[in-house]
Amino acid sequence: MKTSSTTYNRRSFLKTSLLSGGGMLLSVSWLSKAVAADKLEALNLPEQWAQLNGYIQITPDNVIKLICPNPEFGQNVMTSLPMMVAEELDADWKNVIVEMGSHDNAKLGPQFTGGSNSIRMYWKPLREAGAAARQMLCEAAAQTWNVPVGEVTTKAGMLRHASGKSAKYGEMASKAATLPVPKGMKLKSPKDFTIVRNSKKNVEGKKIVTGKPLFGLDYRADGMMIAMIQHPPAFGMKLKSFDAAQALKMPGIKDVFTLKLYPDGFEQGGFDTRTFNDLLVVVGKSTWEVMNARKKLVTQWEPAGDVKDTMMGRGGKREVTVPGGLETTSAQLEKMQELAGKPAQQLRKDGDPEAAFKNAAQVIERTYNAPFLAHNCMEPMNFFAHVTDEKAVVAGPLQAPGWVEPTLTKLLGLPADKIEIQMTRMGGGFGRRAYGQYLYEAAMISKQAKVPVKLIYTREDDMTYGIYRPMYTATYRAALDANKNLIGFHVKGGGIPEHAIHANRFPAGAVDNYLAEGWEIPSNITIGAFRAPRSNFNAAAEQSFLDEVAEAMGKDPIEFRLDLLKRAKVNPVGKNNEYDADRYASVLTLVRDKSGWNKPGSEKYNRGVAAYFCHNSYAAHVVDMVTRDGEPYVERVFSAMDCGIVVNPDAAKNMVQGAVVDGIGNALYGSLTHKDGAAEQNNFHTYRMIRHNEAPKKIEVHFVENDLDPTGLGEPPFPPVFGAVANALYKNKGKRFYNQPFKSEIDKQI
């Protein structure tokens, strides 16, 4: 990927060259409105016109270009979002071209890819834009043909009238661009969809398989140098002194220097998490030369002590003290066990759970634990930056450009209109790239070095830097009466540095006496969103425990869950229950039927089931496990999802299948531990990932069919995989497992 040299400022460029050689350009605003572009005199656009943000362009030769607003890291939004526009536009899909746009906060808002929100967030805005463009084309044709607009019809990029008149969209595009934008357009009924709900191939598929430069690591610019940072060897440490004499003698090295990422008293945004503030930087001509020079640095480190940060977030400004010290996993586990026995914060209480447990004929109590997890995106953190006194251009893989821009303006002392944020395709994100500290580092390095630089993290840098999935624990208790009815439910969860408890989710609302509590332990090991934050542990523990309760009650695990959901629907307990009991039950019923649960034909398998609600969607899995070469192996999986209307079915299936493989791998193998503040795993030879031959032979995905607006899909399939694997392991091994990763616990018993 090359940066293009141009004298046009991005925002002034939008103002002065919206149309060229005829055609129609329609702006899609963040506030779900469409605005016609002004028709201007300038006709000679530079080639970079395709980098415009947030516009539908219909050219005279009937090509429709959409600049995708949201960053792409494999969830296929660059195909699915345009499908929604093309549907209401009545476009011919083969004439649609899609390109990733740069960040433009004014027109597209935060452009955030995360929280399983892309399709849900743009479902109406992009469809309204397509419908508005279609209506304007119809108006243009009606005026040209002197016929009522209601008599003009559209199909596959063509305009037609009963008189026999017809035209391609491109023929009417210029005239349409001069018309006012209609408001309040009636959108298609789902029964009339011809593009949405029909699978379309990934628009970047050919580029990916032929190795085109799409990713941040591919980015190149004239005069660009490579930068790397020598971070402290452990959390809780900082740089004391360094000697770069030998490093500076290495070939290709330009400079070695230190800088502070955030100045003292800096107010951090909600996603400005950073682990180390004092940076020791090596800048040189190539990655290899910088890596080798970095090894020649002579460094001394010292304890960082307590660090005070000022954070801005939803609750306003607050002071946070990050504790000093060098933390070790075994000591963390002991501390968690200690706090688990102490009073905690009450998150929700229904009925009289204390009395229910006091009077219970049987109490079931189990504790579940899970370690820190590293995101381990296949493309390590990297970012390009070219910062001068007048402007800044940054480019790379990023999930939340709108969240980093305010911080970048403060750090660089530049107004937002002097900062251009270009987004490349991401080699994985999973929440890690919602935190822009590596972008800030690149920008500050470029500013000090006075050259364009690409900051690159090695795999070891990436895995040991922090911003992990937190370390969690939770104790579940169930009270049964003499007839084995569930009369009380209690969950008490904690973590470092946060707990995972969602107090208002199932089975809240289905049990008369219910109590949820949480506690937390501060840490200097930084954490961040990790695919379905908190839910990825909560589902594992909760769904494992529900299976144990069902067994104690003598009930089938699926029927037990369905009974609870029936109670939650007919006679719900308490308020603020987050889930829809009918939709929850629908995925359980669907996965039961499609998997042939309790029916002949599956006797060879050890079967486990789990279901969960998060990010506005519902997921259920049946995992079929066997023993292969003496090891547990998930051979096949049946998945059921309710995420409303499925825009692109094949892509949606791929998303669920990926979540299943990811969940199995993390449940069985994922673990990051620490000793004296240092991560004990720093690359894939010590951090175990699922291998190709360990993936299931078959993952069968089914969707509940309804006409509800689309909800999330990137994260909801992931959490219940952990619970389904745990429940299958019980059948496979004849005992329950409570500590992730499960394979480590299995190996300890051999």
Side-chain angles (χ1 to χ4, degrees):
M1 181 181 298
K2 286 190 175 181
T3 54
S4 302
S5 176
T6 176
T7 59
Y8 287 84
N9 169 278
R10 175 166 57 96
R11 286 175 170 80
S12 64
F13 179 69
L14 291 174
K15 294 175 183 176
T16 59
S17 38
L18 292 175
L19 289 171
S20 174
M24 176 184 183
L25 207 58
L26 189 71
S27 168
V28 183
S29 85
W30 173 246
L31 296 176
S32 308
K33 299 175 182 176
V35 183
D38 297 326
K39 189 168 184 179
L40 302 172
E41 295 179 359
L43 297 179
N44 297 316
L45 279 179
E47 191 175 345
Q48 299 93 309
W49 69 271
Q51 294 179 7
L52 294 171
N53 292 328
Y55 286 86
I56 302 167
Q57 178 159 5
I58 303 175
T59 63
D61 58 355
N62 222 35
V63 173
I64 299 171
K65 279 202 175 185
L66 176 69
I67 305 305
C68 183
N70 272 28
E72 172 70 73
F73 58 58
Q75 77 281 39
N76 217 14
V77 291
M78 282 190 71
T79 304
S80 301
L81 290 177
M83 287 174 66
M84 290 158 18
V85 181
E87 179 65 69
E88 296 293 342
L89 185 59
D90 268 350
D92 186 343
W93 181 253
K94 72 175 182 291
N95 290 332
V96 174
I97 297 173
V98 184
E99 295 191 17
M100 174 57 63
S102 296
H103 173 60
D104 193 322
N105 188 54
K107 298 188 181 301
L108 294 172
Q111 295 174 261
F112 173 53
T113 292
S116 301
N117 256 328
S118 293
I119 297 296
R120 179 172 177 249
M121 181 165 44
Y122 282 100
W123 174 243
K124 288 187 178 178
L126 291 184
R127 291 172 65 216
E128 287 171 354
R134 175 187 170 277
Q135 181 64 22
M136 293 164 72
L137 290 163
C138 289
E139 292 276 5
Q143 292 180 18
T144 302
W145 299 335
N146 196 26
V147 299
V149 67
E151 295 180 4
V152 178
T153 61
T154 60
K155 185 177 181 180
M158 294 291 296
L159 295 145
R160 290 185 172 85
H161 184 258
S163 64
K165 292 183 174 67
S166 66
K168 296 178 180 179
Y169 279 2
E171 297 175 61
M172 295 293 172
S174 292
K175 185 175 183 66
T178 67
L179 302 176
V181 179
K183 297 181 180 180
M185 296 300 304
K186 182 179 179 180
L187 301 178
K188 286 185 180 182
S189 168
K191 66 180 176 60
D192 298 323
F193 289 161
T194 59
I195 295 177
V196 168
R197 282 185 161 165
N198 292 277
S199 295
K200 302 297 178 186
K201 297 296 183 183
N202 187 326
V203 296
E204 290 207 306
K206 185 176 180 180
K207 295 177 184 177
I208 294 169
V209 300
T210 56
K212 300 299 182 185
L214 302 173
F215 300 91
L217 285 174
D218 297 322
Y219 196 96
R220 298 290 184 272
D222 292 341
M224 184 186 83
M225 305 202 83
I226 300 298
M228 287 186 173
I229 299 170
Q230 182 68 45
H231 291 121
F235 297 95
M237 300 193 77
K238 66 178 182 179
L239 182 66
K240 180 179 181 181
S241 64
F242 74 97
D243 182 347
Q246 293 303 311
L248 288 167
K249 293 178 182 178
M250 298 288 286
I253 299 306
K254 178 185 185 296
D255 202 359
V256 177
F257 56 83
T258 61
L259 62 83
K260 281 184 177 292
L261 181 59
Y262 299 146
D264 293 341
F266 185 80
E267 292 185 1
Q268 300 176 40
F271 277 72
D272 287 348
T273 302
R274 58 91 177 86
T275 302
F276 305 111
N277 201 56
D278 297 324
L279 310 181
L280 175 56
V281 182
V282 181
V283 179
K285 291 182 179 179
S286 71
T287 304
W288 181 248
E289 288 170 325
V290 173
M291 287 176 67
N292 284 327
R294 193 171 63 159
K295 295 175 184 177
K296 297 295 184 180
L297 292 171
V298 178
T299 56
Q300 286 189 311
W301 310 95
E302 63 182 353
D306 292 353
V307 176
K308 291 189 177 182
D309 284 335
T310 302
M311 304 292 297
M312 298 296 294
R314 293 177 183 175
K317 184 167 68 174
R318 68 188 192 280
E319 299 294 328
V320 177
T321 299
V322 179
L326 305 179
E327 301 182 25
T328 296
T329 298
S330 58
Q332 290 172 326
L333 287 168
E334 291 175 4
K335 184 68 173 177
M336 291 171 75
Q337 186 176 12
E338 177 188 341
L339 261 70
K342 294 182 178 180
Q345 178 188 5
Q346 180 176 298
L347 305 174
R348 172 169 170 159
K349 184 177 181 179
D350 297 325
D352 190 348
E354 293 84 2
F357 280 94
K358 181 179 179 181
N359 298 323
Q362 181 181 358
V363 173
I364 305 165
E365 179 175 327
R366 301 290 185 267
T367 296
Y368 303 83
N369 298 296
F372 287 108
L373 294 177
H375 291 81
N376 289 334
C377 307
M378 287 296 100
E379 178 190 23
M381 300 303 109
N382 68 91
F383 227 86
F384 168 83
H386 187 192
V387 179
T388 67
D389 293 339
E390 293 78 32
K391 64 179 182 178
V393 176
V394 295
L398 185 67
Q399 289 183 232
W403 292 351
V404 303
E405 187 179 68
T407 298
L408 206 53
T409 62
K410 290 191 293 183
L411 287 174
L412 299 180
L414 292 171
D417 64 356
K418 297 296 183 183
I419 297 175
E420 181 173 353
I421 303 175
Q422 299 175 14
M423 292 174 289
T424 63
R425 189 179 184 90
M426 289 176 270
F430 313 109
R432 174 63 181 90
R433 287 190 161 103
Y435 303 85
Q437 117 284 333
Y438 55 102
L439 183 162
Y440 307 148
E441 290 172 344
M444 298 299 285
I445 292 168
S446 174
K447 182 178 180 179
Q448 181 154 332
K450 300 187 184 304
V451 293
V453 302
K454 187 198 293 184
L455 171 67
I456 296 177
Y457 277 38
T458 64
R459 175 62 61 194
E460 290 82 1
D461 294 335
D462 197 3
M463 197 177 292
T464 61
Y465 180 84
I467 311 189
Y468 303 130
R469 196 283 298 270
M471 190 174 178
Y472 289 129
T473 187
T475 297
Y476 283 79
R477 300 167 66 225
L480 307 183
D481 66 14
N483 295 317
K484 295 192 177 298
N485 297 309
L486 179 62
I487 59 172
F489 194 93
H490 176 207
V491 55
K492 184 178 182 181
I496 299 175
E498 69 173 23
H499 67 73
I501 304 304
H502 288 280
N504 295 319
R505 293 187 184 171
F506 181 77
V511 184
D512 287 324
N513 305 293
Y514 174 90
L515 177 62
E517 300 175 289
W519 51 267
E520 300 171 344
I521 299 174
S523 173
N524 55 39
I525 298 175
T526 52
I527 61 149
F530 185 104
R531 195 173 195 172
R534 298 167 61 199
S535 296
N536 54 57
F537 171 74
N538 204 44
E542 167 204 291
Q543 291 295 306
S544 297
F545 185 66
L546 288 177
D547 255 40
E548 287 212 52
V549 176
E551 185 176 41
M553 295 172 67
K555 289 190 172 185
D556 175 83
I558 292 181
E559 295 308 314
F560 170 57
R561 289 168 171 83
L562 290 174
D563 287 346
L564 288 174
L565 289 165
K566 182 177 180 180
R567 166 66 196 278
K569 176 188 176 181
V570 175
N571 187 22
V573 180
K575 299 178 180 179
N576 303 319
N577 300 323
E578 295 181 9
Y579 59 94
D580 181 307
D582 277 338
R583 295 184 71 185
Y584 210 134
S586 70
V587 293
L588 276 165
T589 302
L590 182 60
V591 82
R592 178 193 63 191
D593 296 343
K594 295 297 183 181
S595 68
W597 185 261
N598 285 339
K599 291 183 179 179
S602 298
E603 291 80 7
K604 66 172 280 192
Y605 296 109
N606 308 124
R607 315 197 86 183
V609 67
Y612 197 69
F613 160 80
C614 72
H615 295 84
N616 303 288
S617 293
Y618 302 79
H621 304 290
V622 168
V623 162
D624 284 347
M625 186 177 287
V626 296
T627 299
R628 185 183 69 176
D629 299 329
E631 300 286 353
Y633 166 61
V634 177
E635 186 171 288
R636 66 180 190 178
V637 179
F638 296 87
S639 302
M641 296 294 309
D642 183 354
C643 58
I645 292 170
V646 179
V647 174
N648 191 357
D650 279 355
K653 288 180 181 178
N654 292 343
M655 184 87 78
V656 177
Q657 290 166 337
V660 167
V661 175
D662 195 15
I664 294 170
N666 278 291
L668 290 175
Y669 310 116
S671 178
L672 192 94
T673 58
H674 296 86
K675 184 174 182 180
D676 296 329
E680 294 186 291
Q681 297 78 28
N682 66 3
N683 208 320
F684 295 132
H685 68 296
T686 49
Y687 192 106
R688 181 77 156 84
M689 303 284 285
I690 192 170
R691 311 300 188 200
H692 283 272
N693 69 338
E694 293 166 339
K697 293 180 180 178
K698 174 183 177 181
I699 303 174
E700 189 174 299
V701 182
H702 301 273
F703 294 94
V704 174
E705 295 184 6
N706 57 46
D707 291 336
L708 298 173
D709 286 355
T711 50
L713 190 59
E715 288 158 293
F718 182 62
V721 176
F722 291 76
V725 168
N727 292 331
L729 269 175
Y730 169 60
K731 303 290 182 60
N732 183 266
K733 294 294 184 181
K735 72 181 298 295
R736 299 278 180 184
F737 295 90
Y738 303 99
N739 302 300
Q740 296 176 34
F742 299 132
K743 185 62 170 59
S744 294
E745 192 173 7
I746 292 169
D747 291 344
K748 289 176 183 177
Q749 298 172 8
I750 296 176

